[in-house]
Amino acid sequence: MSHHAATAPGSSSLLTRLDESGFTNRHLTLYLTVLTGHFLCGFVINVTGVTLPGIIGTFHLASEQAGFYSSVLFAGMLVGAALAGSVSDRFGRRVPLAASIAIYAVFCLAAVFAWSFPSLLVFRGLQGVGLGAEIAVVLPYIAEFAPSRHRGPMVTMATSAWLIGTPVAAAIGALVVPAFSWRAMFVIGTLPVIVSLFMLARLPESVRYLLRSGRPQDALRIVDRLCPDSRGATGDITATHSGPQESAGSLRTLVGRSYLRYTIALWIMEVCGGAFLYGLSGWLPSVLEGQGVGLLKSFGYTAIITAVGVVGSILAGQLINRIGRRVVLGVSFLVSGLLCFVWGTASAAVAVVVLGSLATFFGSGLGGATLFAYASELYPTSSRATGIGWAAAMQKVGGLVMPVLVGFVLAMQTSRYAFFLLFGVISIVAGIIAFAATFETKGKTVEEVAREVAAGRGAPVVAPAALADAGPAGS
C-alpha cells in the first residue's frame, strides 16, 4: 500500500513516485547545487574569527565594541530565519532560496568597502538576514525532494557541509588575511552570487509546494524529469494536502494544539544546541588558555575538537535511518553532557582533546545534525519552512545568549570547571526533552508525519507498519 494512498487515490501518485524514486543524476545535480550554497553560508558566517583581529586594528576598536561584530550577525540571522520561512511557505522555495544567497553575497561585497565600523556592522547585520534566511529555506527544499530512504542522510550531510565552513574559513583566512587584509575574505564571500544565479536558472520548484498551490501539471513535468524511470505512472495528480488546511506560512500551525508540544520541545533543543555550538567555539580557546594551555595550542585544540563535530554530523544520517530520530537525539545530547562533566576535570593535553572531541562529536555533530533533520520533517508542507525558520531562529537565540552567560559565569571568578558544567547541563536538558517530547519520524513520508500529528497519535520510537512500507532502508 502506498504511503500516499489516503490522499492520492491513484495507483501511483506524484508524491509516491517522488518518495520511492531512486537517487538519479538530476537528484545529484540539484543536491550538489544547494549543498554548495549551504557550505558557502557556513563559510561566510565563520569569517568572523579570522577577520576580527584586522578589523580591530583598522577601526581602533575597544574589546567592548568588537563584541558587537559577532552579535549583530546573529541578530540578523535570527530575523532572517524567522521571516524567510513564512515567505517561502507562501511563495515557494526556489526564488527565496536563491534570493537569500544573493543577499548575503551582495552585502559581503558592501563590507569590502566599509568606511567605518558602524557601516561594517550594518552590512554584517544584513549579511545575517540572508544567512539566516538561507538556513530556513534550504533544508525544507532538500527534505521535499529527497526520496524517503535518503531524506535523513541528505539533510544531515547538508548540515555537515555547513559545519565544514568553519575550518575552511580558518584555513583560507590564514593564507589570505596576512597577504591581502581582512577585506579579502569578504571578496571571497561574494562568490555565492554565482550559485544564486545558477539556482534561478536551473533548480525546479518544490513539487509539494506546486501541488499544494494547485499546479499539478507543473509538478508532473518536474517529477517526470527527476524520476524518469517512473514516467507514465502518474496516478492522481490533483493538488495533494497533508493535513488540515492552514494558511501558508502560518505560525499558528506551529503553536496549534496538534504541534504545540513538539514545537516547544524543538525550540528548547535548538536553544540548547545553538548555545553549545556557538558558545563552545567562541569561548573554548580562552578557557583552555586560562587552564595553562598556550594560546597557539588552544587554537589548535579548538580546531580539532570542533572539526570532530563534522564527523558526527556525517554519521548522523546513517544512524537516524537505523535507530530513529528520537533515540539519536536523546542519547547524543545526554552522552555529550556527561562527557562535558568529565572533560572539565582533564588536565593532560591528550585527555583535553579526546574528551572535547567526543563531546562535540555527540553534541554538535550527532545531536545538532539530527535536530535539523527532525525539524525538516515535522511540519506540514504549508508551514515546513516556517517551522525550520523558527527552529533556526531559536538556535541563534542560544548563540546570542550563551556567550554572554559564559562571560558572566567566568567573571564571577568561579572555578573554570563551571564552564564545562554549564555546557554539560544544557546538553542533558536537551537530551531529556528529546526523549520526553519528540515525535518519531523514522520510516514515514512527510505527509504521514503531518497526518499522525494532526490526529494526535504519538509515534513510537520504531513504527513497524511504516518501516514495512518503507522497505529495509527506512527513511
Side-chain angles (χ1 to χ4, degrees), residues 87-169:
V87 171
S88 176
D89 283 331
R90 292 173 184 272
F91 301 108
R93 311 294 192 225
R94 184 178 67 93
V95 173
L97 177 58
S100 66
I101 293 174
I103 287 170
Y104 74 72
V106 166
F107 285 107
C108 274
L109 179 62
V112 174
F113 301 102
W115 58 90
S116 64
F117 186 59
S119 68
L120 180 62
L121 289 182
V122 170
F123 297 144
R124 193 64 169 149
L126 292 171
Q127 284 175 31
V129 173
L131 293 164
E134 191 274 347
I135 294 170
V137 181
V138 69
L139 298 182
Y141 185 84
I142 293 171
E144 290 175 5
F145 265 112
S148 285
R149 63 183 175 276
H150 297 293
R151 189 176 67 235
M154 287 174 70
V155 173
T156 56
M157 185 61 73
T159 303
S160 303
W162 185 88
L163 288 172
I164 290 170
T166 300
V168 171

Side-chain angles (χ1 to χ4, degrees), residues 213-233:
S213 302
R215 296 162 59 186
Q217 293 299 330
D218 291 338
L220 173 60
R221 283 191 290 271
I222 292 171
V223 173
D224 280 345
R225 291 197 300 269
L226 198 63
C227 314
D229 289 347
S230 61
R231 187 188 298 272

Side-chain angles (χ1 to χ4, degrees), residues 320-377:
I320 64 177
N321 264 9
R322 287 167 171 77
I323 62 178
R325 281 62 166 161
R326 178 185 292 175
V327 173
V328 172
L329 282 171
V331 171
S332 296
F333 285 130
L334 290 176
V335 170
S336 178
L338 295 175
L339 284 166
C340 284
F341 295 154
V342 181
W343 185 16
T345 66
S347 56
V350 173
V352 168
V353 173
V354 170
L355 288 169
S357 297
L358 288 172
T360 58
F361 174 87
F362 284 100
S364 59
L366 287 180
T370 301
L371 197 52
F372 272 113
Y374 169 69
S376 70
E377 301 166 333

Side-chain angles (χ1 to χ4, degrees), residues 413-447:
Q413 304 300 318
T414 57
S415 165
R416 295 281 167 168
Y417 185 74
F419 171 84
F420 299 96
L421 180 65
L422 189 58
F423 283 94
V425 168
I426 65 169
S427 293
I428 286 177
V429 168
I432 292 171
I433 293 293
F435 277 121
T438 53
F439 186 96
E440 181 54 65
T441 59
K442 177 179 182 288
K444 297 177 175 66
T445 67
V446 289
E447 284 73 30

